[in-house]
Amino acid sequence: MKNLTVTKINTTSSLSVQEAALLLEKNTKTEVIDILNWEKAFPYKPEIKFRIAHTGNEIWLKFYVQEKNILAQETKINGDVYKDSTVEFFISIDGTNYYNFEFNCIGTPHVGYGPGRENRTPILPEVIKQIDIESSLGNEPFAEKSGSFSWEMMICIPTQCFAFDKVQRLNGLEAKANFYKCGDETSDPHFVTWNAINTENPDYHRPEFFAPVKFES
C-alpha cells in the first residue's frame, strides 16, 4: 500500500489559481496514477500525474493528463462527470465516511459524502462553487475528440468543502485517500488508480483501499 505526505506551503495572502499552481510546482514532486486493476477488460492506460500540497485551509491539487480521447459533456454541478474525461480525488477524514471530488476535463465538479457508493449526500452547489478550478481545456463542453491530447487541471479545495467534518485547519491531519482517472463513455473506457483496488470489477467507492495521507503541520 502506498502512502503520501502532503507538503505544507506557507502563504501570507490570498492567491490566484495561477499563482497557487506556480508555488505548487516549485515546492512538490509529481506522483503517478498508473495502476490498471482491471486490465483484461479495460487495458487502455492514459498517462496521469499529480501534485498535491496544502496551505492549512486549502488543498492544492494539480493533475497532468495525456490521453487519446477527450470528452466533456457535463456542465451541471454534481452531474455525471464520470462519463467524461475525468480526474478524481477521494478522501476519508474520519475513517468511516469519505468525500468524492470528481472533475471532468473542463472543470465541472461533483462532490459527495457518505460511507459507500449508495446513498451519498451531495455537497451543496454553493459550497462546491468555492473550489477554484482551472483547466487548460477551458470550461466549454465539447463532443469527443480523438487523437493525442495533453491537458492540465489546477484545483484549490477549501476546508469548507469538508462540510460534515469539523476541519478548521489541515495541519497535521491524518487521512486516507485515493486518486483516479476515468472516462466511462469515451471510446476507450479506462479506470486507472494511484493505490491498488482489489475488486473483480471497477469500483472507486472502496475506502478499504484508500492509502494513508498525512498533511504536514
Side-chain angles (χ1 to χ4, degrees), residues 12-126:
T12 56
S13 60
S14 180
L15 301 176
S16 68
V17 179
Q18 296 85 357
E19 290 169 327
L22 289 174
L23 276 177
L24 182 66
E25 295 193 334
K26 182 180 178 180
N27 290 282
T28 61
K29 63 182 182 69
T30 56
E31 305 288 337
V32 179
I33 300 173
D34 64 353
I35 297 177
L36 288 178
N37 305 277
W38 309 280
E39 188 169 5
K40 278 191 175 182
F42 302 99
Y44 175 57
K45 182 170 70 173
E47 293 183 26
I48 316 109
K49 297 179 181 179
F50 70 92
R51 297 176 187 268
I52 188 170
H54 80 96
T55 64
N57 58 10
E58 281 189 336
I59 294 174
W60 291 355
L61 181 59
K62 186 170 185 178
F63 289 94
Y64 308 79
V65 181
Q66 293 184 8
E67 59 183 333
K68 291 192 298 185
N69 308 290
I70 52 174
L71 173 65
Q73 298 186 112
E74 186 61 76
T75 58
K76 180 183 177 183
I77 291 178
N78 287 336
D80 293 336
V81 300
Y82 69 91
K83 296 178 180 179
D84 294 337
S85 306
T86 296
V87 288
E88 304 185 354
F89 166 52
F90 286 25
I91 182 169
S92 175
I93 292 172
D94 66 4
T96 300
N97 300 285
Y98 62 91
Y99 298 85
N100 56 301
F101 291 89
E102 307 173 12
F103 307 90
N104 71 2
C105 60
I106 57 170
T108 305
H110 178 113
V111 187
Y113 174 83
R117 173 180 290 279
E118 305 302 326
N119 300 316
R120 297 195 65 69
T121 301
I123 303 302
L124 295 175
E126 55 263 37

Side-chain angles (χ1 to χ4, degrees), residues 89-207:
F89 166 52
F90 286 25
I91 182 169
S92 175
I93 292 172
D94 66 4
T96 300
N97 300 285
Y98 62 91
Y99 298 85
N100 56 301
F101 291 89
E102 307 173 12
F103 307 90
N104 71 2
C105 60
I106 57 170
T108 305
H110 178 113
V111 187
Y113 174 83
R117 173 180 290 279
E118 305 302 326
N119 300 316
R120 297 195 65 69
T121 301
I123 303 302
L124 295 175
E126 55 263 37
V127 176
I128 295 175
K129 287 177 181 177
Q130 296 180 58
I131 303 174
D132 285 328
I133 308 163
E134 183 170 85
S135 170
S136 62
L137 295 176
N139 57 16
E140 293 297 322
F142 54 82
E144 185 176 56
K145 302 175 185 179
S146 297
S148 180
F149 301 94
S150 296
W151 56 276
E152 301 177 358
M153 181 174 294
M154 179 67 187
I155 305 161
C156 301
I157 304 172
T159 53
Q160 288 91 328
C161 288
F162 300 109
F164 295 93
D165 291 276
K166 295 179 180 178
V167 179
Q168 300 299 322
R169 300 287 289 173
L170 295 163
N171 302 29
L173 178 70
E174 295 189 12
K176 288 192 172 184
N178 211 343
F179 302 81
Y180 310 122
K181 171 73 177 75
C182 65
D184 289 32
E185 293 192 356
T186 62
S187 293
D188 284 289
H190 51 275
F191 302 91
V192 193
T193 70
W194 171 67
N195 196 54
I197 298 176
N198 185 20
T199 59
E200 183 177 353
N201 298 307
D203 188 357
Y204 288 170
H205 289 267
R206 299 299 290 264

